[in-house]
Amino acid sequence: MTDTIYALSSAPGKAGVAVVRVSGDKAFESFKLLINNNKVPKARDAQLVVLKDPNTKQTIDNALVL
């Protein structure tokens, strides 16, 4: 696979939690940009992180990442 893709995995509409899956060659690099190069969680471990816009560094949201 050469494309990096993302998709909503939770039900669409209003919800307290959204699940987004990211796959592809650049998924890891994309994730590192969103967490401002903070420590990436180990495989199969969950970590609470702050997602930030890579350009403005403005906080987007808090996220539990795996």
Side-chain angles (χ1 to χ4, degrees):
M1 175 192 281
T2 58
D3 292 333
T4 299
I5 60 172
Y6 67 96
L8 186 63
S9 295
S10 53
K14 289 186 177 183
V17 176
V19 177
V20 179
R21 294 188 61 170
V22 182
S23 302
D25 292 344
K26 302 280 186 194
F28 187 74
E29 289 85 0
S30 300
F31 171 68
K32 286 180 71 174
L33 287 171
L34 288 171
I35 63 167
N36 201 25
N37 288 321
N38 288 333
K39 189 173 179 180
V40 175
K42 296 178 188 176
R44 304 189 196 294
D45 280 353
Q47 181 177 323
L48 184 63
V49 299
V50 176
L51 300 179
K52 295 193 177 215
D53 181 300
N55 297 316
T56 66
K57 306 300 183 215
Q58 184 175 9
T59 298
I60 298 170
D61 206 346
N62 296 317
L64 185 62
V65 297
L66 299 164

